[in-house]
Amino acid sequence: MSVPQLGLKASADGWRGVIGDGFTVSGVSLLAACVVDRVGLTTGAPVVLVTHDGRRAGAEAAQAAARAALAAGARQVRLVPHLPTPTATAAVRRGDADIALLVTASHNPARWNGLKVKVAPGCPLPRDLEAEIDAHFQVRRLDVSSRDDFVAEPADALVDQHIEEVLARAGTPRPLAVTVDGLGGVAGEPVARLCERLGWTVTRVACTPDPDFGGIVPDPSVPASRERAAGHRTDLAIVLDGDGDRIYLLDHLGRTVQPSELLALLLERREKLGVPTAGVAVTTSTGTAVREVARRIGAPVHEVGVGFKHLSPLLATNSVDVAGGAVGDLSFTEFGLDRDPFAAIVLLAELLSGTGSSLAALLDDLRARVGGLCWFESKVDVEGADPRAAGLTALRTCGLDPIEITEVDGTKFWLPDGQWLLLRASTTEGGVRVYGELGDEHATRALVRSVEEQLTNGINWGVVHD
């Protein structure tokens, strides 16, 4: 007999829900059991690593997930609070665990929580297995074991191992003063420790886990969430999301380095160092800069849907060596098959040391070479809209005609000179997400207003060109 939908909804990475509504401790417990049961069919009785960030109900849900994992046949459960997601992924990659269960809603606002899953060889669940678990989750009942055969471990040992792993690939960095803004998530202090190991002087901001994230959305892709770091004006600022698998950089002028630009700079540096690139994978919402650099170095670009679970399989099959999306989720195969800001920071340190340039100078040079398009992103809280019709009408109202339309994930309108517009349904919070890049800010503002009018009335749009 089936049971009611428990409200946790599959997202771009794992499952999410509003705390006390979609997200409940019992729902996480059941989902964790389904994960361990299904993954265990191929691994045998698995070793399970369970962690949580600082969100409300996170510790309680992680303990329930640990008990459920034992009930579902886990050989051993390790409960390690406040691990950044890339650190937990690194533990799975090393074989310290077969499964990592992470109680987090990543970049979503504080009222959300969820469950992410990482499996060998250190990546998200394969899409078909995730779908199977999701279906199983809807119909399964669970008698949770009363066993508590686990003891909470401090995070320091696993964090230190992760830092040592990425530093093993570091050169000799030059001294810098940096700001690390953890946005009240779990990665601020570990990343600050990495930066100090690189010989950098660190200004810590919001590096202690906070269930309310200081009233800020723990998403560095939101301009308002970067404003505090921009004000410090150190050599560069690093801003992380709630669970630490997204990274944004700001230069000493307070300007944002868009993820596509950071990926482009690091890709270009790899090429100059003679590191071969079989290919680059990007999500459909990723900006033009990395595509243009990949074209110039002769690396094929593979475009996939939004969410790292679409990128990781290409890394795992050696189809690509570099992957990234529009939200600061960057990966390089020499460091693993999942996004890892720790690795990106080590590569950045080598770039700055090797070139002797400031981040601002490198950004100016890149924009001069690839066009410096104006990036925009927003969400329109409307249901039932026709994104294709809305996009076409908005573009033509602004005198823009697409040269191609693709539907990898949502509807994407390609325009001349690398410009584009993407409209896609939000998988977690509902509504329509809108992304794009145009050649100047005036044209950008006109287009986002026109798209707004076509989708709904009264929505405020944000334009980013800082």
Side-chain angles (χ1 to χ4, degrees), residues 332-421:
F332 304 85
T333 53
E334 60 265 38
F335 291 94
L337 306 179
D338 207 359
R339 50 198 151 178
D340 189 348
F342 292 71
I345 290 167
V346 165
L347 292 173
L348 173 69
E350 196 288 323
L351 169 66
L352 296 173
S353 179
T355 61
S357 297
S358 68
L359 182 59
L362 292 170
L363 182 61
D364 286 338
D365 177 66
L366 177 70
R367 288 179 174 177
R369 290 184 286 113
V370 304
L373 297 176
C374 180
W375 165 269
F376 59 91
E377 176 186 356
S378 190
K379 183 168 78 73
V380 183
D381 291 319
V382 61
E383 303 297 333
D386 183 342
R388 186 184 182 97
L392 277 173
T393 303
L395 286 166
R396 288 168 180 165
T397 298
C398 295
L400 298 168
D401 287 315
I403 56 178
E404 185 181 3
I405 300 175
T406 56
E407 294 183 331
V408 172
D409 185 354
T411 303
K412 187 168 186 177
F413 306 91
W414 297 90
L415 304 165
D417 303 318
Q419 302 174 106
W420 56 279
L421 168 70

Side-chain angles (χ1 to χ4, degrees), residues 151-457:
V151 177
E153 306 173 29
D156 287 352
L158 288 176
V159 168
D160 288 342
Q161 280 183 279
H162 188 196
I163 289 173
E164 291 300 331
E165 283 179 340
V166 295
L167 285 176
R169 298 182 177 275
T172 305
R174 60 188 175 95
L176 294 173
V178 304
T179 298
V180 175
D181 191 338
L183 293 183
V186 293
E189 181 58 31
V191 166
R193 285 161 56 184
L194 169 64
C195 291
E196 288 176 337
R197 289 290 305 278
L198 288 167
W200 295 350
T201 302
V202 179
T203 299
R204 288 168 167 80
V205 180
C207 285
T208 300
D210 178 353
D212 294 315
F213 304 104
I216 292 176
V217 178
D219 181 357
S221 71
V222 177
S225 298
R226 301 192 299 267
E227 288 178 358
R228 179 173 55 197
H232 283 271
R233 300 296 173 92
T234 46
D235 292 318
L236 61 94
I238 298 166
V239 188
L240 305 152
D241 73 332
D243 67 326
D245 58 9
R246 297 182 175 194
I247 181 171
Y248 266 66
L249 299 182
L250 296 91
D251 67 16
H252 73 275
L253 301 173
R255 298 180 302 173
T256 297
V257 183
Q258 291 298 327
S260 174
E261 295 173 325
L262 175 56
L263 193 58
L265 288 169
L266 299 181
L267 174 62
E268 209 164 44
R269 183 62 182 172
R270 282 172 103 252
E271 176 69 12
K272 289 180 179 176
L273 292 174
V275 180
T277 301
V280 178
V282 296
T283 64
T284 189
S285 59
T286 304
T288 299
V290 67
R291 300 169 191 271
E292 179 60 21
V293 166
R295 184 190 66 79
R296 292 184 182 188
I297 68 173
V301 175
H302 304 259
E303 182 171 299
V304 300
V306 172
F308 209 86
K309 63 185 177 184
H310 300 292
L311 295 167
S312 196
L314 293 172
L315 293 163
T317 57
N318 298 315
S319 301
V320 302
D321 314 289
V322 176
V327 292
D329 43 347
L330 313 181
S331 180
F332 304 85
T333 53
E334 60 265 38
F335 291 94
L337 306 179
D338 207 359
R339 50 198 151 178
D340 189 348
F342 292 71
I345 290 167
V346 165
L347 292 173
L348 173 69
E350 196 288 323
L351 169 66
L352 296 173
S353 179
T355 61
S357 297
S358 68
L359 182 59
L362 292 170
L363 182 61
D364 286 338
D365 177 66
L366 177 70
R367 288 179 174 177
R369 290 184 286 113
V370 304
L373 297 176
C374 180
W375 165 269
F376 59 91
E377 176 186 356
S378 190
K379 183 168 78 73
V380 183
D381 291 319
V382 61
E383 303 297 333
D386 183 342
R388 186 184 182 97
L392 277 173
T393 303
L395 286 166
R396 288 168 180 165
T397 298
C398 295
L400 298 168
D401 287 315
I403 56 178
E404 185 181 3
I405 300 175
T406 56
E407 294 183 331
V408 172
D409 185 354
T411 303
K412 187 168 186 177
F413 306 91
W414 297 90
L415 304 165
D417 303 318
Q419 302 174 106
W420 56 279
L421 168 70
L422 170 67
L423 285 75
R424 60 177 290 272
S426 173
T427 56
T428 304
E429 299 177 64
V432 177
R433 290 202 175 274
V434 182
Y435 315 80
E437 289 180 302
L438 290 185
D440 70 57
E441 193 165 337
H442 177 75
T444 298
R445 294 188 179 277
L447 178 59
V448 295
R449 282 195 300 268
S450 184
V451 172
E452 171 191 354
E453 291 169 1
Q454 298 305 318
L455 290 172
T456 191
N457 294 318

